[in-house]
Amino acid sequence: QVQLVESGGGLVQSGDSLRLSCAASGRTFSSYDMGWFRQAPGNEREFVAAINRPGGSSRYIDAVKGRFTISRDNAKNTLYLQMNSLKPEDTAIYYCAATSHNGMPAKTKSYQYWGQGTQVTVSS
């Protein structure tokens, strides 16, 4: 089991950058593939990016590819999402999540553990 807490959201202008963090409790962080999801008003919660347990592989949706970078520091039990060149369509609540499933799944229901979310708002 893990407990997850996101931080780092805020209000920024188009083109700005933010770095989200997800702090995990316990000593089992490295046993989980991790993902970032987001939910905008009126939308379903959608997959953004995922990273495998060692941190050597990752995947992204096309909408953020080349702009966002997911990473993790297993020694610090922390997951990150570096978001560059932010656009208004990136505005959403961002959630980190942990899964015991292999293969960096993109489906929301593959993830057993979730943080509370952090708001990212990009103005234009």
Side-chain angles (χ1 to χ4, degrees):
Q1 66 176 48
V2 290
Q3 290 76 48
L4 306 172
V5 180
E6 303 95 334
S7 62
L11 173 63
V12 298
Q13 302 260 29
S14 295
D16 285 352
S17 296
L18 280 175
R19 189 195 197 198
L20 306 184
S21 297
C22 174
S25 67
R27 303 178 68 181
T28 60
F29 177 68
S30 63
S31 297
Y32 299 91
D33 282 11
M34 299 292 295
W36 285 101
F37 294 76
R38 65 187 182 185
Q39 187 167 20
N43 288 11
E44 301 292 326
R45 189 170 299 185
E46 65 179 0
F47 173 79
V48 176
I51 190 166
N52 70 347
R53 294 156 200 197
S57 296
S58 58
R59 65 191 296 187
Y60 305 85
I61 55 170
D62 288 343
V64 308
K65 200 171 298 180
R67 299 189 297 120
F68 290 12
T69 303
I70 188 171
S71 62
R72 67 194 296 165
D73 188 337
N74 286 341
K76 295 181 178 179
N77 283 2
T78 304
L79 176 75
Y80 303 98
L81 185 67
Q82 178 66 46
M83 304 185 294
N84 297 329
S85 302
L86 282 161
K87 305 175 180 180
E89 52 262 46
D90 297 318
T91 295
I93 301 173
Y94 283 72
Y95 301 87
C96 67
T99 178
S100 61
H101 298 309
N102 297 318
M104 299 177 289
K107 292 182 171 62
T108 299
K109 293 185 177 180
S110 294
Y111 290 78
Q112 298 105 321
Y113 306 102
W114 293 84
Q116 85 289 347
T118 186
Q119 178 71 49
V120 172
T121 303
V122 185
S123 65
S124 66

